[in-house]
Structure formats: structure tokens, C-alpha cells
Amino acid sequence: FLGAGGGNDIQWCFSQVKGAVDDDVAEADIISTVEFNHSGELLATGDKGGRVVIFQQEQENKTQSHSRGEYNVYSTFQSHEPEFDYLKSLEIEEKINKIRWLPQKNAAQFLLSTNDKTIKLWKISERDKRPEGYNLKEEDGRYRDPTTVTTLRVPVFRPMDLMVEASPRRIFANAHTYHINSISINSDYETYLSADDLRINLWHLEITDRSFNIVDIKPANMEELTEVITAAEFHPNSCSTFVYSSSKGTIRLCDMRAAALCDRHSKLFEEPEDPSNRSFFSEIISSISDVKFSHSGRYMMTRDYLSVKIWDLNMENRPVETYQVHEYLRSKLCSLYENDCIFDKFECCWNGLDRQVEFSVIVMTGSYNNFFRMFDRNSKRDVTLEASRENNKPRTVLKPRKVCASGKRKKDEISVDSLDFNKKILHTAWHPKENIIAVATTNNLYIFQDKMN
Amino acid sequence: QDVLEKEKTIPPERAEEAKLKAKYPSLGQKPGGSDFLRKRLQKGQKYFDSGDYNMAKAKVKNKQLPSAGPDKNLVTGDHIPTPQDLPQRKSSLVTSKLAG
């Protein structure tokens, strides 16, 4: 396994866990998205209750050179509220589907957060000084009796306790008939896309009353609907290129320079299916739940129900690598269909360091029983780890887990039938520069770091 | 013993499919097709018609109004929507426990 040996293998250690300990989880507390900002200093989470919590990494402590800074609460705010569209009799959930950070341009931080219908641009700014000594007001705000004012007093800025304020700067509404599943900021840092089940729109960050439709797969007759859009992302370097994935397991790459409406893809990525293996479940488990470009933009990764696939943008007819996340579930598909777990949308992510070091490329994704998986593209080794409060001694290396698919269960293995399918890890994130990962269980956020030498 | 032998030759996915079809014989032939996708697109849809509601109220003046069935997504016409069926404005929102 990764982590079982020395050399370049990463040894993951528990660092922190955030959230309530009790097993009775309120629906609002279910974490729905996790995202590091571009420097890794900030870590944002969104939940089903429409709230955003941002953690900040504390500056490195010289006395504690063996661990990187801890993440502490920096700001928390209500991003979205529940709504009811009376015209369409539609209940709009406040659940935050995605958060995406803008790169930092000045002292303030900006992020986009979205629910099913509305995208919001939030400004998070710090205030650490305030004006004191007004001429006409007392410090508590009461106005002074003007007859007592005999000299001019000019207010000066004095330090105050740090206050972090979040304010909505733009609200991008009324552009989506269906439910938004993705937002992606363009490499031009001026525009972004939002994708729902059938359409993708292009926005300018400054303009809220206009949006361009760039993909529309809605059939004229809804009876003919065969697939929906499941995820979309802009290319990290090419500002005219984006991809979107579908419920049928295909990925389409589009170039906005080719046409105003990118209904005709430039490339179609699809792995041919073996018709003899086709079953009732084939299409459902081939549905892509997440698509992520590598930092170089040369590759993209997709997640379907049972696997992670790496695609080379130059090769459309099959992925270059396929990693099995939990193949043992293939013989449980009937019950997973009955309990709806087969529709769970797992995300995936690349390690951050591949931006600098192309020969160290690891991808990560979640599974059930609070397990998460990592695959090393170079060594082809993989590991299963668990996010659990039982393993929470700092600097103790996490023990790899193993699921016993069939036959005699060895000691320390867990059998497929003992897996808890209510404990899903759908959202994970990797620090852009360091080996620090954030793993969300249902209502807790775990932070793991590699064991520094 | 025989059943085990048979299962060895059938791919696991097909065996699971057979299990599902045995439980739900009326399951459609096109699983990824229209019906399934349209249900996904309809998430959040609630039904309330004030006309239906008032007519029903007039009809059952002396009887107790039937309340919503277990599935609140029933199309109107089959059951009478009541104000209790409508989504309530949620009470004051509290801070996330992650920030606690």
C-alpha cells in the first residue's frame, strides 16, 4: 500500500476534526462541499443548511516545527436561504452545491457559492482598525451637545480586535430552469460558467443581469430525453475550452471560439462498452459524478459510481488509466439501487503538488464506511484510509484499511456486509501546495497531514 | 451447491439485475431513460392549487379535511392539498456546528 513503506510514500496522520460528536445528525449540518483557496490558507465548507464556514490556517509556529499550522474558524455566514417559487410551485433548497474561490487580487478574498438556482459572489474582508475620536459623536454613538463642542477633533484609526466580514457583492439569479450542479471560474478570472441538468451558462463576474447560454441539450420533446449534464469545468489554461460530463458516462470538450452555442462538441470522450456486460445498472453506474482537470490541463479525471478514470485530452476513445474504488459493490448493486445509494455523487481530486512535480501524482476519492481512497498514478499503488474519531491521535500514522470482498475475512479486514452505507465520503479536497487534505464525512470535517520527517 | 455453480458463470452485475427484476417485475426496460431522468429534473416540485383547495373545502364543509398522504409529492386531483402541506418558512437559522 501507499504509506505502508518508506521512500516517497506519504504517511497520513490525523490533524484535526471539526463538527459535532453526536450521532444524531441534523440535516442542515450535512456537509455538501469542501474547497481550499488558491494558496491553501483558507478552507471553505458549505452545508445543506445554506451556511458557509471558512477556516484559516494559522501561521507556522516556530516552536512546533513538526506540524503545519492548524485550521481555525475564520468566518461563517448564511449564504443561501430556502425559497419557494410560487409561480412554478417549486421548493428551492438552500443547500450549497459548490464553492469556488477566486484568486486573490487584493486584501479581500472572494468566493462563488451556489445552490440549485442562484450563484452568489461573496467578499470576505478583514477589519482590524476603526476610527475613533469623532468631533460630534461620543464613542458610544450618541451625539454630543453641540454647545459643548469648542474645539475641532479629527478621528484617527486605532487598532481593534480582528473582525472578518462577509458580504454578498453579486447575485446571479434567474438563469437556470434546472438544478445547478457545477460552477467553474475561467482562467481569465473574469468569467465563469454554471451548469444545470440541461444547460450551461457563461457569466461575467461583474454583470448579474445577463448570462450567455453556451450549451443546451434540452430536447424539443422531453419524452426524448436520454441524458443530462452532471458536471462541467473550464480548462485551467485555455480560456475558451471547457468540458462537461453526462449521465451516460461521456465527456464533451467544447471550444467557445467555434460557435456561440457549443452544442457540437470538439471532442467526445467515451469508453466503448462491452455489450455482453450490459445490465439494468450499466447506465446508472456509468453516470459521471465529477470531472476535474489536472493542473497542467493535459489530463482530466472522472468519477463514476465504481471507478476513477484518467483521460488524456489527446485520446478520446478510452481513458489512459482506470482505478477501481470499490469493485466489491458490483455484487451489491440490487440493494444499493433499493436504498438509493447507487445514485450517490462522489467527487474526486488531484493532489496539489502535481503542479510542480509531475512525477508525483496522486488522486483521491471517497467511498462508504467513512473510507477514502488514494491512487498513485506512477507507482500504481493504492490505499484505503478511514476518517474516524477513533484514529484521532495527532502524528499517529493512519492505518490502511482493507475490505474483504469474499471468502474468509482476515483479522483487521472488514466484510462488505458490515460496511455502513450511511457513512459516505462524497467530498474531499487537497491543499494546492502541501500534503494536507480535507475529508468531509456526513457532518464532520477531518484534516489530515503527512508525517513530516 | 448448484446455485453457487450457476452464479460463478454469471457476471455479478447480471446476477444483481436478476435479483432486482425478481423483486420488481414491472420495472421498465429503459432504466436510464426518460422516466428516471425526468424524476430527477422534477426535484423540489410541490403542488398546490388554490382552486382545488377551496372547492374541496366547500365540499367537505362538515367533515374533517383529509390531510396529506405520506408522499407529499402526489399530484393534485388525487388528494386535496391543505395549508399544512405547504413548505413552512424555516425558523431562525443557527450557526453551523463546524464553527462551534
Side-chain angles (χ1 to χ4, degrees), chain A residues 188-216:
Chain A
D188 65 10
Y189 300 146
E190 284 190 345
T191 58
Y192 74 95
L193 64 75
S194 56
D196 67 32
D197 293 311
L198 297 178
R199 299 193 177 102
I200 301 179
N201 294 328
L202 180 72
W203 303 83
H204 190 286
L205 284 163
E206 299 288 330
I207 299 167
T208 58
D209 64 354
R210 209 174 315 172
S211 169
F212 290 99
N213 177 237
I214 53 177
V215 173
D216 188 340

